[in-house]
Amino acid sequence: MKAPFLCLVLAALPALGEHQEISLAPIVLYMRFQQPPPAAVADALKAEVDSIMRPSGLRFTWRELLAARGSDFSVALAVITFKGRCDVTGLNPHASYTGPLGWTEISDGVILPFAEVDCEFVRDFIQRQLLRMPPESRGATYGRALGRVLAHELYHIFANTTSHSSYGVGKSKFTVQDLVSPEFQFEAQESLTLKGSKAYAALQGLAIGR
């Protein structure tokens, strides 16, 4: 099933030789939610990814996968699937975390631009802390946690590496505190690695071309 899906996504991007108006974007993150999230969650998710990636020089345009247009063109892309229900309703202090928070697709040792974030596992992991917070702040905190998990997967995709750092967003395992703390960033080396990526070089070329 993965190969046809990959072809479908790439078919939405025009060949450079086609005679049509092309809308340039930096790096496009195509999102696919199994269930649409509340605005507070989605806004916090995007803001957190943008904040974490800012020191690396990578910037993103966010689009719904179903709204992808054939006239869109980007220097790089990733397709993100958010599994399950991405909200903070029905929190249960007795629920337990049961699986990985997110993962990136790899085929024959090649890292593919496809990642998944399990909204329900992230919520299970941090919901005891969410229940200690005022109800009006839970959505933003949860969205920020989802953004941190996604930023980790984007590091694998755009740095084209399976390696992890010893601390920060690039480490292999997160604690609950990592996901709910006021700030969580890459260590300096991971930001430098992203600045050496093909995606960053393409962004620099786009800026010079303008």
Side-chain angles (χ1 to χ4, degrees):
M1 293 297 292
K2 293 176 185 175
F5 181 62
L6 175 62
C7 293
L8 176 63
V9 173
L10 297 183
L13 302 178
L16 292 179
E18 293 181 6
H19 296 287
Q20 57 177 297
E21 182 178 351
I22 294 176
S23 176
L24 287 174
I27 300 173
V28 176
L29 300 182
Y30 289 101
M31 301 177 294
R32 181 174 62 170
F33 289 94
Q34 290 184 342
Q35 295 187 32
V41 172
D43 291 346
L45 185 162
K46 295 175 186 178
E48 186 67 8
V49 171
D50 289 340
S51 174
I52 290 172
M53 290 294 188
R54 191 170 297 121
S56 71
L58 301 186
R59 59 188 188 276
F60 306 106
T61 295
W62 300 79
R63 294 192 180 129
E64 293 287 342
L65 180 59
L66 293 178
R69 300 174 299 174
S71 59
D72 293 336
F73 180 75
S74 60
V75 298
L77 63 85
V79 178
I80 316 299
T81 298
F82 294 88
K83 297 183 63 179
R85 181 169 54 85
C86 302
D87 61 42
V88 293
T89 59
L91 295 176
N92 178 3
H94 303 294
S96 59
Y97 161 66
T98 57
L101 304 178
W103 55 93
T104 298
E105 297 287 350
I106 300 177
S107 178
D108 296 328
V110 177
I111 299 172
L112 304 177
F114 297 96
E116 295 189 13
V117 174
D118 196 307
C119 290
E120 297 191 10
F121 285 171
V122 174
R123 185 176 59 251
D124 288 347
F125 190 48
I126 67 170
Q127 62 184 329
R128 291 182 184 178
Q129 281 63 35
L130 291 175
L131 284 167
R132 298 190 182 112
M133 300 176 180
E136 62 272 15
S137 67
R138 292 172 184 170
T141 300
Y142 175 56
R144 191 166 66 234
L146 293 174
R148 292 172 181 183
V149 174
L150 175 54
H152 177 96
E153 302 309 327
L154 293 177
Y155 172 74
H156 287 306
I157 290 173
F158 293 117
N160 192 33
T161 181
T162 59
S163 66
H164 293 95
S165 62
S166 56
Y167 63 91
V169 177
K171 67 181 183 177
S172 60
K173 294 182 180 180
F174 289 171
T175 65
V176 172
Q177 189 59 32
D178 289 334
L179 294 183
V180 301
S181 62
E183 187 169 340
F184 192 45
Q185 296 288 330
F186 283 114
E187 60 177 284
Q189 182 57 49
E190 273 56 56
S191 292
L192 288 174
T193 299
L194 286 168
K195 282 191 174 181
S197 67
K198 293 180 179 179
Y200 180 80
L203 281 177
Q204 295 302 103
L206 178 61
I208 293 173
R210 290 177 175 172

